Amino acid sequence: QLQALGVGPEVLVGLCVERSLEMVVGLLGILKAGGAYVPLDPSYPQERLAFMLADAAVPVLLTQEQLRAALPTIDTQVICLDSDWPTIARQLTTNPVSLVQPHHLAYVIYTSGSTGTPKGALVTHQNITRLFSATDPWFGFGSQDVWTLFHSIAFDFSVWELWGALAYGGRLIVVPYWVSRSPTDFHALLQREQVTVLNQTPSAFRSLMVALEGVAPTSLALRYVIFGGEALDIPSLRPWFERHGDTTPRLVNMYGITETTVHVTYRPLTWGDVERPASVIGGPIPDLGLVLLDQQGQLVPIGVPGELYVGGAGVCRGYLNRPELTAERFIANPFGAGRLYRTGDLARWLPDGNLEYLGRIDQQVKLRGFRIELGEIESVLSSHPVVQEAVVVAREDMPGEQRLVAYVVGQGFRVQGVGFGDEEQLVAELRSHLQTRLPDYMVPSAFVVLDTLPLTPNGKLDRRALPVPMPSRFTDPSFHAPRDGVEQQLAAIWMELLRLPTISIHANFFALGGHSLLAVRLMSAIRQRFDCHLPLATLFTHPTIAHLARELRQGATGSAWTSLVPIQPHGSRPPFFCIHPAGGNVLQFYGLAQHLGAEQPFYALQSIGLDGVTPPDSTIEAMAERYATQILTVQPNGPYWLGGYSLGGTVAYAVAHALRRAGHQVARVVILDTAAPGTLQDPDWLNWSDAQWLLGLTETL
């Protein structure tokens, strides 16, 4: 029937059907006629389907009667595999001659584009057949194997599932959509059909693991569980290995890309991998070549991150109707013959020859000046025993107010027999868990507890479907409401700045998502509301509403003024004393102190006069004597570790001399961005106005 309509080599045929026997019949019919199939998921929006049909310009579309009304209007021959079957059945049943060759197209699968326009990857027959011949020594698939077609045929993982079964004479179980979205029903299918080869995205498998809790391992016939489609958090497999071991079935991590024909690397997983926080994806399939390049296109050494490029027999022809994009992503191999596909993925070689996947190059976020890898937060969050799944995103639900939001699926909210009474206690526990392992700027300001993570039709995490965080009490497990008018007014300021509906008076400003810019706004609001000037560094020593309220009740004069600010007073190492830049404030040192770690005591020295009452020191020598005296109150004996930023570098140098004159030993003086003496001859910035200073500052950030 298809050949009678002109289908042959290089002719594209649309295939839009539900998961069914008709779907496989239609796909095989297209290939046996010599054509190439263009899979169209019926769940796609009509606008997307219309674009794909127009872009591919398919002369024929195979579908089902119940889907016809939902399809966009197109000038294409439409065949319904169910209602038109009587007509099809009148055709010859002998095997047709297709004239297809290995270099001809087998399918065109559309993937999302960074510009929002889908792009169709052109994959040939030889791209597919070499995938199985190259991996056959590892797996040994055969006619005894039972596979599931779990994924949409619009997702290239389905190519591996479908032909892994049919090319070896095995049995293929087409999984209905509703079963693929029900871990319990899918588990029943695995048992009933005695499936031996299971292919899963990590997101789908984590849900299946929960359904398998309490099930005897012997009830399954699985030989292999093969992961693909998205990054695998290997430590999350610990519960599986505890119940099933690491040999029956064998778990395999296979990184892959549509443009390089499904799979690129191979890594059989063992118990030992669970102890490694890295996402190890193994080595290349034998007929592929992998290189890691820096931004200048140069090879990177072992252990250094670089962008992953893939060459070899799996690299597809390019993109349909996108010559510019094809030229950009498929480049000539500067190290040999053929082409390389630029993946946009970040990885690094490990000393043992394996690759560690580091995420997408464009998934790194920058928040308040800090570069943050969301995967790192997800990994730490997932290490908590109560967390089953975790996703962290940077949201901007209010223009200009970007924040980190964590989405977690919990395992009954119980840890070692201790239950969490409600969601607030769980959030407090998870926040504390992150705070002990990550800098404060990497701790999400909002947590959302979900029953399951939303998935796309392809079984991948659907980030767009993650809900907007709803107001909840971001509190410590023991919540304390404001006790008087001062605390109520402070709580109102905090809630407005941090966008929280309620705050405990003992909650830490920085732990709730506060940062340096919000700190400036907070102290400005306090000055206006209470007509009281508190230095910015007050937040280091008084980071809660209760502490600030006590200062305000005393009129900010109850505590003796000191230049010494204990940002991080604890730790086993010698303390580090860092001196303020011009302007006298030390809030910018908070991030530095966090990066140096919990074992490094960190004291900042701020200028006197920031309280608006005491006159500041007028000479470097006066500052040096004052700061040396206050350093001795913390550390009476050397050796001393000193540092200073900008003007503070000059002061630190003077402090070192003051300490040495007093007979003390100075081990280090760390100078950050300080001009060498004698190089500034009446610089223009000495006469800058406040506005010019602000402009100069923003140009350096």
Side-chain angles (χ1 to χ4, degrees), residues 405-482:
V405 179
Y407 296 86
V408 296
V409 176
Q411 299 181 15
F413 302 160
R414 300 188 66 83
V415 180
Q416 297 178 351
V418 179
F420 293 97
D422 53 27
E423 182 175 321
E424 293 174 2
Q425 290 187 3
L426 175 65
V427 169
E429 165 67 20
L430 296 180
R431 189 187 300 281
S432 175
H433 175 71
L434 292 179
Q435 287 170 340
T436 61
R437 292 161 175 82
L438 296 173
D440 282 348
Y441 67 83
M442 294 183 70
V443 177
S445 61
F447 290 76
V448 179
V449 180
L450 301 173
D451 293 329
T452 60
L453 293 176
L455 303 180
T456 68
N458 293 340
K460 294 185 179 182
L461 173 68
D462 188 355
R463 292 181 179 271
R464 295 185 178 182
L466 293 170
V468 176
M470 299 299 292
S472 62
R473 287 172 52 156
F474 286 77
T475 69
D476 296 326
S478 55
F479 177 83
H480 292 86

Side-chain angles (χ1 to χ4, degrees), residues 507-543:
N508 187 292
F509 175 79
F510 297 102
L512 293 174
H515 50 81
S516 58
L517 296 179
L518 286 179
V520 173
R521 292 165 59 184
L522 172 65
M523 304 312 279
S524 175
I526 289 175
R527 183 168 60 252
Q528 294 177 9
R529 183 77 60 90
F530 295 96
D531 191 25
C532 180
H533 189 109
L534 293 177
L536 275 174
T538 305
L539 274 180
F540 291 138
T541 52
H542 303 83

Side-chain angles (χ1 to χ4, degrees), residues 36-50:
Y37 69 96
V38 181
L40 304 161
D41 195 306
S43 66
Y44 284 170
Q46 192 174 78
E47 181 179 344
R48 186 179 181 89
L49 291 174

Side-chain angles (χ1 to χ4, degrees), residues 562 564 577 627-636 640:
T562 175
L564 200 64
F577 301 91
Y627 299 160
T629 300
Q630 296 201 353
I631 287 172
L632 291 174
T633 65
V634 173
Q635 184 184 357
Y640 294 96

